[in-house]
RNA sequence: GUAGGCGUAGUUCAGUUGGUAGAGCACCUGUUUGUGGCACAGGUUGUCGCGGGUUCGAGCCCCGUCGCCUACCCCA
């Protein structure tokens, strides 16, 4: 038997309806916040991700689905959505239109070559939004509110964590500061952290190792060393969230795994889905457009992990819907096609082509969860009528075939 | 890449000390010649992941291999 590749899953029945339910709700809300759909390719030049996601990230370092195509190009299946959207934004020269705002939502498959586990697959799906051209912190707030709206609408409980990663003015001095601190306790930090001091010292803050964690309690906090602009934006953000009654906690160790974030970083977390607890994450990335050779453009965005949310979403009860049609004698089957075609203008219709006993038809209608079971038997064929049973109310009637 | 757990019917799983391959659910038929869900009765369903070894005999023991799951790392 040929099976799907490791870390790749088919979605059908219950799963696919959960999937589309989430996308539909997220799409609906994103549109209400003024976002329009953007579709970008799954395959991009590897360079794009190296430059945007960052060489120091694990995503680029070891998790890319990267290969040389038949034309000799170094290409990569996208590991996340933002890079492609930013590339499209620049390619369309939208970065030149400096006074305009552009808001895009997207969803689709992302690929990371890693060991699959609960809530983490090699092919997974994200829904995300990117807002370009707005540097005011109100947009950060609005995006967080939008994600909150989506989860609320899906009936999902979450915890919101926020942090500020500073900007090009306050981050570099802090970084030096932190490196000094880390070098001071180098011998006591774990191996990974020692490596991170060179590659990406900020990520040490995120270490799960208990020993590292306790050492880091004494570390300098970026939150106490923000420049005046970052500091006042962060305070403003907290005020806005308070006023909107959105609960949050400040997590000064929250650093996003991708290099391009600055200022606001946030993560929506759920405690009920195993160890992969982040269900959405995002923040501001004012420098990214420049990194990818565009004209400097402030931007904020987020992405949510569809598969992780599928485990949490409470689906509305599925109600009986549509028609099941069948005949008891095979010679009457032709009568059903025009009937079905007419009904399909407004309802879903399933025809059973094989002649069956009434009981079998009723069971068949039940199985597909149809609201109405429509059958032409001997009497109906003779009289030009159809027998219709409402399976919910358990009421039946006989109608002229033209009037049905 | 590392560690642990698991592979038996469509599915969820049991399978004793190594001795004829099992159950629930699902499915089909009937009770009901034209009335679903409920009940009862009967019935179908197997490369025991794959390959080798030990043995008179392996689902069970041994070796290898593949796959799945969970966790670490990291992330949505």
């Amino acid at each position: 038997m040929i099976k799907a590749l490791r870390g790749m899953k088919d979605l059908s029945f219950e799963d696919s309806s959960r999937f589309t339910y989430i996308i539909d709700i997220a799409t609906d809300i994103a549109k209400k916040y003024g976002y329009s759909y953007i579709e970008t390719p799954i395959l991009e030049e590897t360079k794009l991700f190296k430059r945007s996601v960052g060489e120091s990230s694990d995503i680029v370092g070891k998790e890319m689905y990267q290969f040389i195509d038949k034309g000799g190009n170094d290409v990569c299946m996208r590991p996340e959505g933002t890079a492609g959207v930013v590339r499209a934004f620049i390619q369309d020269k939208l970065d030149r239109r400096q006074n305009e705002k552009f808001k895009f939502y997207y969803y689709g498959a992302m690929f990371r070559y890693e060991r699959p586990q609960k809530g983490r697959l090699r092919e997974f799906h994200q829904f995300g939004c990117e807002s370009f051209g707005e540097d005011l912190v109100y947009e950060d707030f609005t995006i967080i509110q939008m994600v909150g709206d989506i989860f609320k609408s899906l009936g999902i409980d979450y915890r919101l964590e926020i942090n500020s990663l500073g900007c090009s003015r306050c981050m570099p001095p802090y970084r030096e500061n932190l490196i000094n601190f880390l070098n001071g306790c180098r011998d006591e930090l774990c191996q990974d952290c020692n490596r991170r001091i060179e590659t990406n010292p900020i990520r040490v803050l995120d270490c799960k190792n208990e020993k590292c964690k306790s050492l880091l309690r004494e570390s300098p906090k970026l939150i106490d060393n923000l420049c005046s602009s970052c500091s006042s934006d962060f305070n403003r953000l907290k005020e806005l969230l308070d006023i909107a009654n959105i609960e949050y906690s400040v997590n000064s160790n929250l650093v996003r795994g991708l290099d391009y974030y600055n200022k606001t970083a946030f993560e929506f977390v759920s405690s009920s889905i195993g160890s992969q607890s982040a269900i959405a994450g995002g923040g501001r990335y004012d420098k990214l457009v420049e990194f990818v050779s565009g004209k400097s453009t402030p931007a904020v965005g987020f992405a949510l992990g569809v598969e992780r949310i599928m485990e949490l979403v409470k689906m509305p009860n599925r109600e009986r819907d549509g028609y099941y049609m069948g005949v008891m004698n095979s010679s009457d089957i032709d009568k059903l096609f025009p009937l079905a075609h007419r009904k399909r203008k407004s309802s879903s219709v399933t025809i059973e082509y094989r002649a069956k006993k009434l009981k079998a038809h009723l069971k068949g209608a039940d199985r597909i969860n149809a609201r109405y079971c429509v059958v032409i038997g001997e009497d109906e064929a003779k009289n030009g009528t159809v027998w219709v049973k409402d399976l919910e109310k358990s009421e039946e009637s006989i109608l002229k075939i033209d009037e049905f």
Side-chain angles (χ1 to χ4, degrees):
Chain A
M1 184 172 40
I2 298 173
K3 291 193 285 189
L5 294 169
R6 166 174 289 172
M8 319 247 160
K9 277 222 162 54
D10 306 308
L11 292 178
S12 53
F13 304 112
E14 169 75 14
D15 287 342
S16 58
S17 70
R18 278 173 184 273
F19 184 93
T20 54
Y21 180 70
I22 292 164
I23 298 298
D24 288 349
I25 284 185
T27 297
D28 185 53
I29 290 172
K31 282 181 180 165
K32 290 195 169 113
Y33 276 79
Y35 285 75
S36 68
Y37 185 64
I38 186 168
E39 171 92 21
T40 67
I42 285 175
L43 219 51
E44 297 271 6
E45 252 188 278
T46 301
K47 229 185 328 188
L48 172 64
F49 301 113
K50 288 197 171 166
R51 244 199 274 171
S52 62
V53 178
E55 303 248 20
S56 70
S57 70
D58 272 33
I59 292 180
V60 168
K62 59 180 191 187
E63 297 174 356
M64 295 226 287
Y65 260 97
Q66 182 186 358
F67 57 95
I68 306 296
D69 73 8
K70 290 183 180 177
N73 307 295
D74 187 351
V75 298
C76 185
M77 314 257 273
R78 62 184 180 195
E80 55 96 52
T82 301
V85 175
V86 168
R87 197 223 75 236
F89 175 80
I90 296 167
Q91 188 173 338
D92 279 359
K93 304 196 191 306
L94 302 179
D95 57 328
R96 314 282 177 87
R97 294 159 65 174
Q98 288 275 299
N99 294 322
E100 292 181 67
K101 320 260 190 273
F102 297 96
K103 301 179 185 190
F104 299 110
Y105 74 89
Y106 63 85
Y107 61 90
M110 310 292 161
F111 299 83
R112 293 182 197 173
Y113 197 90
E114 47 190 344
R115 205 69 169 228
Q117 64 181 272
K118 196 174 183 67
R120 190 178 62 187
L121 297 169
R122 286 182 174 182
E123 180 188 20
F124 61 103
H125 297 79
Q126 288 187 336
F127 176 96
C129 288
E130 314 293 353
S131 166
F132 294 98
E134 181 57 80
D135 61 342
L136 295 177
V137 69
Y138 299 110
E139 189 70 342
D140 308 32
F141 160 73
T142 301
I143 285 223
I144 291 174
Q145 187 171 52
M146 168 165 55
V147 180
D149 283 357
I150 292 171
F151 287 136
K152 198 169 163 197
S153 184
L154 290 169
I156 290 173
D157 291 325
Y158 61 83
R159 236 174 37 247
L160 168 63
E161 295 186 353
I162 60 169
N163 193 21
S164 175
L165 304 177
C167 62
S168 52
R169 226 179 332 153
C170 49
M171 174 53 101
Y174 168 74
R175 192 187 174 97
E176 288 308 312
N177 203 346
L178 180 67
I179 292 173
N180 286 337
F181 171 87
L182 294 174
N183 279 326
C185 54
R186 204 173 186 127
D187 299 341
E188 296 176 78
L189 292 167
C190 72
Q191 224 178 348
D192 282 329
C193 284
N194 269 283
R195 180 175 46 82
R196 289 189 190 111
I197 294 174
E198 314 300 338
T199 57
N200 194 346
I202 305 302
R203 288 274 284 288
V204 176
L205 298 174
D206 205 23
C207 187
K208 306 292 188 295
N209 185 306
E210 284 305 322
K211 181 119 187 255
C212 297
K213 269 186 180 171
S214 68
L215 286 166
L216 287 164
R217 261 178 225 125
E218 306 302 319
S219 72
K221 303 292 180 216
L222 175 56
I223 211 96
D224 305 322
N225 292 282
L226 293 173
C227 66
S228 60
S229 148
C230 287
S231 174
S232 73
D233 275 356
F234 192 57
N235 288 329
R236 192 79 183 103
L237 176 65
K238 289 190 285 188
E239 281 170 24
L240 291 163
L241 291 171
D242 287 336
I243 294 165
N245 268 321
I246 297 170
E247 280 184 50
Y248 63 88
S249 58
V250 175
N251 176 356
S252 57
N253 289 337
L254 173 67
V255 300
R256 318 256 38 252
L258 289 60
D259 291 354
Y260 52 65
Y261 287 103
N262 70 324
K263 289 197 170 181
T264 306
F266 62 87
E267 210 161 86
F268 285 72
V269 184
S270 164
S271 42
S272 41
I273 47 167
S275 72
Q276 309 302 322
S277 57
I279 52 177
R284 182 163 277 283
Y285 50 93
D286 295 334
K287 292 283 169 241
L288 180 56
V289 176
E290 254 178 294
F291 280 179
V292 188
S293 325
K295 219 172 157 191
S296 175
T297 307
V300 209
F302 79 92
L304 52 84
V306 181
E307 279 84 356
R308 289 183 187 175
I309 292 165
M310 280 169 61
E311 300 196 23
L312 301 170
V313 69
K314 294 170 197 71
M315 295 288 285
N317 288 336
R318 193 166 151 241
E319 293 184 354
R320 284 188 178 279
D321 180 46
Y323 295 83
Y324 169 102
M325 298 184 178
V327 294
M328 296 175 68
N329 299 302
S330 53
S331 54
D332 296 321
I333 186 71
D334 289 1
K335 297 188 174 77
L336 289 180
F337 297 116
L339 203 59
H341 196 235
R342 209 159 71 222
K343 280 291 173 196
R344 280 180 176 137
K345 286 179 179 139
S346 57
S347 303
S348 88
V349 178
T350 302
I351 299 179
E352 170 55 57
Y353 303 123
R354 268 166 255 276
K356 287 184 177 176
K357 291 195 287 187
L358 183 63
K359 180 179 172 144
H361 282 310
L362 283 160
K363 278 194 174 190
D366 238 359
R367 186 166 305 165
I368 63 161
N369 210 33
R371 173 76 189 264
Y372 301 99
C373 181
V374 179
V375 176
I376 296 178
E378 213 170 314
D379 298 344
E380 291 79 13
K382 198 162 57 188
N383 301 329
T385 56
V386 290
W387 177 87
V388 181
K389 182 162 187 176
D390 180 332
L391 295 174
E392 196 174 288
K393 295 184 174 163
S394 212
E395 289 169 359
E396 51 192 277
S397 53
I398 291 173
L399 299 169
K400 276 291 194 194
I401 202 160
D402 300 329
E403 292 164 10
F404 175 65

